[in-house]
Amino acid sequence: FAQNWQYVGTPNINQTVSSTTYLYSPDLEFNAAGEVFAGYYDYAGNIYFAKSNAGSWVQLPAPGYYPGSPGTTLQNVDVEVKDSNNYIAYSRTIVSTNYVYVKKYNGTAWIQLGDSMLLSSGAFDFLLDTNEVPTVLGVVAPGFGQDKQMMQYSGSAWVSVCTLAGTAASLSNESSCIFDAQNKLYCPSGGYVLTPSF
């Protein structure tokens, strides 16, 4: 309050102050009506999705439960909201391999969109294009070097739109990419180019 910050809704978004339910990797989004949505996970491996409504936080059905300690099971959470459609993407480590999953809320439950996608780390960026097509940046491309791909959901599966050359060592972090009004994607990349002398 010293810097004129005020809580949106009541504090303690998951209604607990227990030391066993630390919250990790939160992400916030607004819909066109100005409502605030938050996605995050806790120490036990529960993923949450909450909405600020009339001064308090309301928990929507949980997108999932993945037991394990943070940093080894769940990595990052990224949410997107378009009108009444809610999306959540999260990365997960399974036996030292990283994957990203995307789910959409259908009004009663969370439905996984397509299969998981391979990441080189837990980092990725999830966003909707101007036509509300789910888009993931940072997926590993097949073949030597493993540059990063832009993947979009076709309605039944994830399809590679393009591979970003020379991005094998780069990370696609949350909110690092953006679509403009003409549905053109802008994103930074960094990495190395494979040459005979590396």
Side-chain angles (χ1 to χ4, degrees):
F1 285 104
Q3 299 297 322
N4 297 318
W5 286 92
Q6 296 187 13
Y7 288 113
V8 174
T10 54
N12 305 323
I13 188 171
N14 65 338
Q15 308 304 312
T16 179
V17 292
S18 168
S19 62
T20 61
T21 56
Y22 296 125
L23 306 184
Y24 295 90
S25 193
D27 187 28
L28 290 174
E29 290 291 336
F30 292 89
N31 64 9
E35 298 170 310
V36 184
F37 294 80
Y40 56 96
Y41 65 92
D42 69 12
Y43 185 84
N46 298 291
I47 300 178
Y48 296 96
F49 198 88
K51 172 183 174 181
S52 179
N53 185 18
S56 62
W57 286 98
V58 176
Q59 294 288 337
L60 298 179
Y65 169 66
Y66 303 97
S69 61
T72 56
T73 298
L74 290 167
Q75 296 284 326
N76 294 301
V77 171
D78 196 345
V79 300
E80 292 292 333
V81 177
K82 178 68 173 177
D83 300 323
S84 61
N85 296 326
N86 304 321
Y87 299 84
I88 190 166
Y90 56 93
S91 56
R92 186 175 175 212
T93 303
I94 302 175
V95 192
S96 74
T97 303
N98 301 289
Y99 301 93
V100 61
Y101 303 80
V102 179
K103 291 185 176 183
K104 180 180 180 181
Y105 186 63
N106 66 5
T108 56
W110 291 90
I111 306 300
Q112 184 169 313
L113 302 183
D115 201 354
S116 61
M117 293 166 279
L118 180 65
L119 299 173
S120 59
S121 71
F124 66 94
D125 195 7
F126 171 63
L127 60 164
L128 304 175
D129 74 5
T130 56
N131 299 313
E132 201 181 321
V133 177
T135 305
V136 175
L137 277 294
V139 177
V140 173
F144 182 71
Q146 296 188 318
D147 285 332
K148 304 305 188 294
Q149 298 180 92
M150 170 189 177
M151 305 286 285
Q152 289 196 306
Y153 189 65
S154 66
S156 60
W158 290 96
V159 177
S160 177
V161 176
C162 65
T163 297
L164 305 175
T167 59
S170 69
L171 298 178
S172 297
N173 292 313
E174 180 189 338
S175 300
S176 61
C177 306
I178 189 170
F179 283 99
D180 68 10
Q182 289 74 45
N183 209 28
K184 293 179 181 177
L185 178 70
Y186 292 80
C187 61
S189 67
Y192 53 81
V193 177
L194 296 175
T195 66
S197 60
F198 198 66

